[in-house]
């Protein structure tokens, strides 16, 4: 992950984001989310106007950086063998420009299929696939702390493993 962060730090223009972007990696995708400066506060501006200014700033950034982002993504995809997705954050809002949707195969027993079918019948999801994605998002939302602790532990395992002897050569 350090190699990936270093590569993106060297390739991304410094003026794009406030601070270092968040880089998330999995087996298929690299996600880069940079923080944009919020619009300057102005007296007498309604919440609707402020939201429109944020939306306009995000759109401007997306359009002005598109060509360079595509170029960087192509280089990263070639080098790291994963697709690159882009997004920005302003305040509490995160907007993704691109994301990768990857099929995941699973085998479910009847009680688990019935859960998915109930979500479809209730209109919560359009299909079993959507219902399963909904369940994963729900679990992720309610277990963020636990999942973060688990990811930290896995990163520690990776660091310890990397510091050990190289037995693959």
């Amino acid at each position: 992950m350090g190699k990936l962060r270093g590569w993106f730090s060297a390739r991304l223009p410094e003026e794009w984001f406030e601070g270092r972007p968040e880089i998330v990696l999995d087996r298929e995708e690299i996600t880069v989310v940079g923080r944009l400066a919020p619009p300057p506060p102005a007296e007498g501006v309604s919440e609707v106007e402020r939201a429109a200014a944020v939306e306009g700033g995000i759109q401007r950034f997306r359009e002005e950086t598109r060509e360079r982002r595509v170029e960087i993504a192509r280089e990263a995809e070639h080098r790291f063998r994963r697709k690159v997705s882009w997004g920005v954050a302003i305040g509490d809002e995160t907007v993704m420009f691109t994301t990768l949707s990857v099929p995941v195969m699973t085998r479910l027993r009847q009680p688990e299929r019935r859960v998915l079918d109930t979500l479809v019948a209730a209109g919560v999801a359009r299909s079993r696939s959507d219902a399963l994605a909904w369940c994963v998002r729900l679990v992720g939302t309610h277990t963020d702390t636990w999942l973060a602790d688990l990811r930290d532990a896995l990163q520690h395992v990776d660091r310890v493993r990397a510091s050990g002897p190289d037995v693959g050569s």
Side-chain angles (χ1 to χ4, degrees), residues 81-92:
R81 306 270 190 252
R82 290 173 174 88
K83 290 290 184 186
V84 176
S85 296
W86 296 94
V88 293
I90 294 182
D92 294 339

Side-chain angles (χ1 to χ4, degrees), residues 118-158:
T118 300
L119 292 171
V120 171
V124 172
R126 292 173 299 180
S127 65
R128 283 180 170 176
S129 178
D130 285 344
L132 187 55
W134 183 87
C135 291
V136 169
R137 285 191 302 273
L138 182 66
V139 169
T141 299
H142 292 289
T143 58
D144 276 345
T145 303
W146 181 80
L147 288 172
D149 290 347
L150 187 58
R151 286 185 190 105
D152 288 345
L154 289 171
Q155 286 177 349
H156 179 71
V157 168
D158 288 342

Side-chain angles (χ1 to χ4, degrees), residues 12-57:
L12 295 174
E14 288 181 25
E15 66 274 6
W16 276 10
F17 305 124
E18 287 189 332
R20 296 177 74 179
E22 177 186 6
I23 299 175
V24 179
L25 173 72
D26 70 11
R27 291 188 294 184
E28 292 87 16
E29 182 176 22
I30 300 166
T31 303
V32 180
V33 178
R35 181 156 295 284
L36 300 180
E43 255 185 69
V45 173
S46 71
E47 189 56 38
V48 172
E49 286 179 84
R50 187 186 162 332
V54 166
E55 186 178 324

Side-chain angles (χ1 to χ4, degrees), residues 67-84:
E67 191 174 307
R68 186 73 177 112
R69 284 185 296 108
V70 167
E71 180 183 316
I72 292 169
R74 283 190 185 130
E75 290 175 28
E77 287 168 7
H78 177 75
R79 182 180 191 98
F80 299 108
R81 306 270 190 252
R82 290 173 174 88
K83 290 290 184 186
V84 176

